[in-house]
Amino acid sequence: MTVANAEIEIHTYLAAGDERALADDVLDGLTRPFKELPPKHFYDARGADLFDRICDLPEYYPTRAERAILRERAAEIVELTGAAEIVELGSGTAAKTRILLDAMQEAGTLRRYVPLDVTESMILDTAATLVEEYPGLLVHGIVGDFERHLHHLPAALGPRLVVFLGGTIGNFTPGSRRRFLRGLARAMGTDDHLLLGTDLVKDPALLEAAYNDSDGVTAEFNRNVLHVVNRELAADFAVEAFDHVAFFDREREWIEMRLRASSRQHVHIGALGIDVVFEPREELRTEISAKFTRERLEGDLAAAGLELERVLSDDDELFAVSLSRPRT
Ligand SMILES: C[S@@+](CC[C@H](N)C(=O)[O-])C[C@H]1O[C@@H](n2cnc3c(N)ncnc32)[C@H](O)[C@@H]1O
């Protein structure tokens, strides 16, 4: 589907609910010896709302820290990059992006915003709101998967700032992370920069609190993937029979989120014609969120052919936003 008017163009590369990708992931992930599903399936409209609520939780420091860095350094980022457009991967509600758009408008360079997200409602709402907020802004929205659809990015209108915020890069395992960054570097021009948000290694108690909030919003977000599978693939998960688990793996330095069956569960997945059994206390891994050191960040960027130019952090060094560009 393509929607277009003078300021807004939206291109959709996912079929409704993207059943093909979800079905393949569920078939793969639930028939493994250790069950696992990729985190992108959390984000239907309800999952996206729950994530927004997580961002406002007192325990969830990453959003606040990343916002503080952007507020402090946006003008410098715009000056360094001369960016005329922002390409944002996993754009969500683009809440923090407005800080960068404001700085670009202030500098007189702002021409276009290119958000890419799996959640169609987010892209449509963001496009409609931003053209109101920034008169003259062009929005080229992509409803797609940043692992599969980077080749659909439109030709650049000028130097691009490719923005990947929220620590979403941490959802990749280390090898996939480098493969993804390498693909991203290839999709960038020599005038482009990558602005990457990464959560930092820190006191495990602080990390674990951020993923185990006292209101249970993260638990609801975690269980939302089971609602998505029930709805999209005619499955019958008893969602409340799965407990939220989140812990810091000190060896791998990543947070793991899992869902643990409180009793033996027998699940029928109608669209796949399969039955899956969970033994009591058996776990399904739903997300990893890797935490970074300067060395890990430098190593990943270098392996992808990206040269690190700046690492910006907040006063408490909780989070980092880095600026890098393709090595020439
Ligand atoms: C952790 S949230 C971050 C949202 C926002 N960038 C922020 O910093 O608050 C991850 C976002 O990436 C999107 N997303 C996750 N996996 C994706 C994928 N494979 N392709 C495109 N978007 C994806 C989700 O829909 C969600 O909006």
Side-chain angles (χ1 to χ4, degrees), residues 27-322:
L27 182 60
D28 253 359
L30 297 191
T31 55
R32 288 180 191 177
F34 183 80
K35 297 180 175 66
E36 181 166 25
L37 286 175
K40 67 181 164 208
H41 301 303
F42 286 132
Y43 296 94
D44 62 352
R46 178 172 182 267
D49 279 349
L50 285 165
F51 180 74
D52 261 10
R53 284 177 57 198
I54 290 174
C55 290
D56 290 335
L57 291 168
E59 296 94 336
Y60 199 73
Y61 63 84
T63 309
R64 277 192 306 281
E66 193 176 39
R67 190 184 296 121
I69 300 166
L70 293 175
R71 282 212 178 111
E72 184 86 3
R73 313 298 285 268
E76 178 185 341
I77 292 167
V78 170
E79 196 185 330
L80 269 168
T81 60
E85 64 178 338
I86 289 182
V87 172
E88 181 163 22
L89 310 181
S91 45
T93 53
K96 286 165 288 182
T97 320
R98 285 168 170 80
I99 302 168
L100 295 165
L101 293 170
D102 285 346
M104 288 164 72
Q105 194 177 43
E106 181 91 354
T109 60
L110 179 62
R111 292 188 64 191
R112 186 167 66 173
Y113 177 53
V114 182
L116 187 162
D117 203 287
V118 278
T119 310
E120 181 177 47
S121 56
M122 293 279 208
I123 295 287
L124 296 174
D125 292 353
T126 305
T129 318
L130 288 184
V131 295
E132 292 287 319
E133 287 177 26
Y134 298 88
L137 178 72
L138 303 173
V139 177
H140 181 119
I142 300 178
V143 182
D145 186 329
F146 51 57
E147 290 188 68
R148 295 191 282 135
H149 298 130
L150 289 183
H151 58 284
H152 289 302
L153 292 177
L157 288 184
R160 289 186 296 195
L161 188 59
V162 179
V163 170
F164 196 22
L165 299 178
T168 309
I169 187 70
N171 295 154
F172 289 96
T173 47
S176 306
R177 191 163 72 222
R178 289 194 173 181
R179 198 174 306 119
F180 169 77
L181 286 172
R182 219 174 279 131
L184 182 57
R186 275 198 295 270
M188 290 169 65
T190 47
D191 286 343
D192 297 346
H193 282 81
L194 170 64
L195 189 73
L196 182 66
T198 43
D199 197 7
L200 299 176
V201 173
K202 60 181 67 65
D203 177 1
L206 213 61
L207 281 165
E208 289 182 346
Y211 292 82
N212 288 289
D213 66 276
S214 48
D215 286 349
V217 184
T218 314
E220 261 322 290
F221 174 73
N222 195 3
R223 280 192 283 263
N224 194 52
V225 72
L226 302 184
H227 287 297
V228 170
V229 175
N230 278 352
R231 186 186 63 236
E232 299 294 332
L233 301 178
D236 60 2
F237 273 101
V239 176
E240 296 308 319
F242 287 83
D243 296 324
H244 167 72
V245 176
F247 64 93
F248 184 55
D249 180 329
R250 286 162 171 72
E251 195 182 319
R252 297 181 179 83
E253 295 188 313
W254 69 42
I255 285 279
E256 266 198 52
M257 289 216 306
R258 298 181 179 184
L259 289 168
R260 179 187 292 151
S262 54
S263 57
R264 193 169 201 271
Q265 296 293 311
H266 184 279
V267 183
H268 179 65
I269 304 177
L272 295 171
I274 61 168
D275 293 289
V276 178
V277 172
F278 286 81
E279 297 301 335
R281 299 186 63 76
E282 187 178 343
E283 293 177 342
L284 161 67
R285 183 160 74 180
T286 50
E287 179 176 294
I288 67 155
S289 179
K291 306 305 165 190
F292 286 77
T293 55
R294 169 108 190 187
E295 296 68 41
R296 180 164 295 144
L297 179 64
E298 258 171 5
D300 283 349
L301 293 173
L306 290 160
E307 200 169 330
L308 186 58
E309 291 193 334
R310 291 275 196 292
V311 182
L312 314 172
S313 194
D314 53 295
D315 291 344
D316 301 320
E317 304 209 334
L318 296 173
F319 202 90
V321 173
S322 61

